[in-house]
Amino acid sequence: MVQIAFILLTHKDPETVIRQAARLTAAGDCVSIHFDARANPNDFVKIADGLADNPQVTFAKKRLKCGWGEWSLVAATLEAVKAAVEAFPEATHFYMLSGDCMQIKSAEYAHQRLADEQCDYIESFDFFNSDWIKTGFKEERLIYRHWFNERTHKWWFYKSYEWQKRLGITRKVPADVEMMIGSQWWCLRRDTILKVLQFCVDRPEVMKFFSTTWIPDETFFQTVVRHVVPEREIRSRTLTFLMFTDYGMPVTFYNDHYDMLLAQDYLFARKISPTAKELKTRLGTLWGEEGMAFPISNEGRAMFGFLTQKGREGHRFAPRFWETEATLGRDRALYVVVCKKWHVAKRLVEQIRTRSDLPCVNYLFNEEEELPPLGGIEKTLEKRNRHRRALLRMLLEYHRSDRLLICVDPSDFDLLRDLTSDKSETRILEIQTEFSDDYLVGHAQRIGLAGHDSPPQIYERVLPTIRYDLRYESERIRDAEFEHFWRIREASGLAGNAEPLAQFLKIDTDTAAEIAATHYLFSD
């Protein structure tokens, strides 16, 4: 039977800590608390008094003064772990939490999840070869000694680093220890915890090494667990859902995130806004619920990226540096069909291909459509987009033509701006289609904003955003006022579409009418 010992590090808000511990222990689990010795001592007294009658709560015997990026955070965690091991002999799992975390599943679900697979959950990536660290110090975290807190003693922190670097005073990572890195929010089995504690006793030189590394809470447990547990028993992930902004700051969750949080494949989430009282209330009752089903759609990260990146995408209008001198040629013409529904654009292109000698390719910058051999530049989408004018020039030469038709997704606004800035003539035809709710649901699933099992509330929130986004893409193209621009619409019918199609392709109206009359052109 699973019993979780929650390792709770906290430094503020005693009332919240008391409520959190009471909730977690109500389902038969237990809590070990380390309260920062730097914090208000009266707050600790409130917590100790408020939980004095709860036998499922214990406290670290030694309270440490903690600082961000310091060894003290790991030392405090170890103190809370030792207290939990001693106080709760029946605990099968030890789960690291903070005061900003809250459950997003029931205890029943969490216990079953942990019982189903005998493994440890801890992010554990190769320190030197992974890209887990995005910016700033990397190997400098390890090979130099860090005695000072970077936030409270910034001058001393960087001066000591500069002196060591100038004098060449470095050190090596312990030879038999493979350095790993990952999130500090882990869930470990009891046997693993006992092995980690024994490692701390057996390897004082490793403990000494970590004690002067920078941000060791992202490396210590991640490294030691890999050292004492077989890789097959480790899942390199956390069970706590957290996200970061582009600026490296944790994403905060609010009242309207409830349904999204429950649909993620995690047991807890951080961090919950202190002002999100409704969310805290709803999540607060969740841990004790029984018989609840939790359909997992796991769209949280994709949705966050989708919503936050709008406004950043498509705003790089300057040509790439390797294309500043490249051009398709003043006497050449590029025909661009812009359509969100790729199958509609491809049907139109097929009709154009059969009724003219205009060389056509589809979404060559969006999908791995097979192209003729062009010396390797055509092999990957990355290469195609990196050298797109060169690619188009080579396609023109391959087809021995001064004209070429391609398809472009309307989200690729920077591509359209880039192409229209070329010396060649760029002619653009936008195909405006209707978007039913069913289509938008499928679109949301295709791009990872929702899953087949997502609850209706997810779609109620996502569909208006997607519909607005598609409308915005079209309006942005119209507002650009491209010189050679035409539009056909699903609602316009044959009479309204033949003329702009004829002008776009420079063909007679009868041929354009035959193309526009394709009865299945706009079918989904």
Side-chain angles (χ1 to χ4, degrees):
M1 181 178 177
V2 169
Q3 184 187 55
I4 305 173
F6 291 100
I7 309 302
L8 179 58
L9 297 192
T10 187
H11 64 281
K12 61 180 180 180
D13 202 354
E15 291 79 11
T16 297
V17 174
I18 294 170
R19 288 195 297 269
Q20 186 179 29
R23 281 194 306 266
L24 295 174
T25 56
D29 295 305
C30 38
V31 177
S32 179
I33 298 174
H34 178 279
F35 193 80
D36 194 341
R38 293 185 191 275
N40 189 334
N42 293 329
D43 287 346
F44 178 70
V45 172
K46 289 180 182 178
I47 295 172
D49 290 345
L51 297 171
D53 297 330
N54 191 333
Q56 296 297 99
V57 176
T58 191
F59 293 88
K61 293 182 178 179
K62 184 178 180 182
R63 290 173 57 212
L64 305 174
K65 294 181 178 180
C66 298
W68 183 87
E70 293 181 3
W71 169 253
S72 56
L73 286 176
V74 177
T77 303
L78 289 171
E79 290 297 325
V81 166
K82 292 174 186 176
V85 168
E86 180 180 342
F88 311 121
E90 302 301 318
T92 59
H93 293 76
F94 294 74
Y95 197 121
M96 181 77 173
L97 281 181
S98 78
D100 293 324
C101 298
M102 286 198 74
Q103 62 276 2
I104 56 175
K105 298 291 186 296
S106 65
E108 179 184 63
Y109 181 97
H111 292 167
Q112 189 61 52
R113 171 71 178 271
L114 296 177
D116 285 344
E117 192 171 16
Q118 290 301 308
C119 64
D120 297 303
Y121 293 93
I122 180 169
E123 277 192 357
S124 185
F125 303 104
D126 186 284
F127 184 93
F128 296 101
N129 295 322
S130 72
D131 63 347
W132 201 86
I133 299 175
K134 303 298 184 185
T135 60
F137 284 177
K138 188 168 185 177
E139 66 173 4
E140 293 88 349
R141 293 188 181 195
L142 309 177
I143 65 174
Y144 297 109
R145 295 165 179 83
H146 302 278
W147 296 286
F148 304 99
N149 185 285
E150 192 268 345
R151 293 188 174 180
T152 59
H153 297 89
K154 190 179 291 290
W155 189 88
W156 281 109
F157 178 88
Y158 287 105
K159 273 300 177 185
S160 67
Y161 159 69
E162 290 173 8
W163 291 336
Q164 292 177 77
K165 186 176 181 180
R166 186 177 304 169
L167 295 173
I169 303 175
T170 60
R171 59 179 176 175
K172 293 183 179 180
V173 174
D176 64 332
V177 175
E178 182 182 4
M179 289 300 303
M180 311 298 288
I181 192 167
S183 168
Q184 64 268 51
W185 310 110
W186 41 255
C187 178
L188 304 176
R189 297 167 295 173
R190 185 181 192 87
D191 188 54
T192 300
I193 285 291
L194 294 177
K195 289 178 180 178
V196 169
L197 293 178
Q198 189 60 46
F199 181 93
C200 295
V201 174
D202 295 341
R203 300 296 300 273
E205 78 284 5
V206 177
M207 303 296 287
K208 182 179 180 181
F209 170 82
F210 274 107
S211 68
T212 51
T213 59
W214 191 42
I215 320 183
D217 54 326
E218 294 179 350
T219 54
F220 177 76
F221 285 98
Q222 296 77 1
T223 298
V224 175
V225 169
R226 283 277 181 181
H227 193 78
V228 301
V229 176
E231 183 177 358
R232 65 179 180 276
E233 297 180 17
I234 298 174
R235 302 294 175 266
S236 188
R237 57 157 296 180
T238 174
L239 291 176
T240 298
F241 181 60
L242 66 159
M243 298 188 295
F244 291 90
T245 68
D246 293 346
Y247 305 101
M249 301 299 294
V251 173
T252 301
F253 299 111
Y254 295 92
N255 291 332
D256 58 348
H257 288 126
Y258 179 81
D259 294 312
M260 182 274 287
L261 289 174
L262 265 60
Q264 306 314 301
D265 186 24
Y266 296 86
L267 304 183
F268 285 76
R270 81 178 301 268
K271 46 197 252 178
I272 309 300
S273 170
T275 64
K277 299 186 183 302
E278 179 185 345
L279 178 61
K280 287 188 171 185
T281 299
R282 297 179 74 182
L283 294 178
T285 62
L286 191 59
W287 191 247
E289 295 290 340
E290 296 182 356
M292 283 190 67
F294 294 92
I296 302 299
S297 55
N298 226 25
E299 80 291 340
R301 298 184 193 282
M303 183 187 299
F304 177 76
F306 172 77
L307 294 175
T308 56
Q309 288 172 11
K310 294 305 168 187
R312 295 188 180 93
E313 295 178 350
H315 290 273
R316 183 199 59 76
F317 301 144
R320 289 169 165 84
F321 71 90
W322 57 78
E323 294 178 335
T324 53
E325 299 301 324
T327 178
L328 302 187
R330 192 179 300 277
D331 298 325
R332 287 172 166 170
L334 184 66
Y335 295 72
V336 182
V337 174
V338 180
C339 186
K340 196 66 181 180
K341 292 185 177 180
W342 293 7
H343 59 280
V344 174
K346 290 177 181 179
R347 289 171 187 162
L348 179 71
V349 168
E350 186 57 33
Q351 294 299 317
I352 294 172
R353 187 181 285 117
T354 59
R355 289 176 169 81
S356 72
D357 59 353
L358 176 61
C360 303
V361 291
N362 294 325
Y363 290 86
L364 76 166
F365 295 112
N366 300 101
E367 59 181 355
E368 300 271 1
E369 179 185 358
E370 186 174 349
L371 295 177
L374 301 172
I377 196 175
E378 81 288 351
K379 292 295 185 182
T380 66
L381 290 179
E382 181 183 3
K383 286 185 177 181
R384 294 183 189 184
N385 281 280
R386 188 186 307 145
H387 307 293
R388 54 199 184 196
R389 290 198 193 183
L391 175 67
L392 293 171
R393 203 166 56 246
M394 294 174 75
L395 282 171
L396 285 162
E397 293 168 359
Y398 174 84
H399 289 289
R400 298 181 180 179
S401 174
D402 291 330
R403 302 184 304 154
L404 179 69
L405 185 147
I406 67 172
C407 298
V408 170
D409 190 278
S411 64
D412 291 337
F413 186 65
D414 64 324
L415 174 59
L416 293 175
R417 291 294 298 260
D418 195 11
L419 295 177
T420 54
S421 67
D422 192 82
K423 295 177 182 179
S424 63
E425 178 185 7
T426 302
R427 306 172 68 81
I428 300 175
L429 175 73
E430 182 191 11
I431 306 177
Q432 272 197 348
T433 60
E434 303 295 327
F435 299 104
S436 65
D437 285 350
D438 288 342
Y439 175 85
L440 294 180
V441 166
H443 181 68
Q445 293 173 354
R446 285 190 294 273
I447 64 177
L449 292 181
H452 292 285
D453 297 325
S454 293
Q457 296 89 337
I458 293 293
Y459 291 109
E460 289 174 5
R461 183 165 61 250
V462 170
L463 294 194
T465 303
I466 296 177
R467 193 181 299 278
Y468 173 82
D469 189 61
L470 298 182
R471 188 182 304 119
Y472 167 73
E473 289 176 354
S474 179
E475 289 297 323
R476 181 171 56 175
I477 292 172
R478 176 185 293 183
D479 292 342
E481 297 182 348
F482 294 121
E483 182 179 359
H484 305 290
F485 178 81
W486 295 267
R487 177 183 284 113
I488 64 174
R489 299 178 174 85
E490 181 175 353
S492 295
L494 174 60
N497 290 334
E499 184 61 30
L501 191 58
Q503 294 177 11
F504 167 68
L505 294 171
K506 295 183 178 179
I507 58 177
D508 60 85
T509 305
D510 291 340
T511 303
E514 292 178 7
I515 297 174
T518 305
H519 64 88
Y520 56 85
L521 182 62
F522 292 100
S523 300
D524 284 334

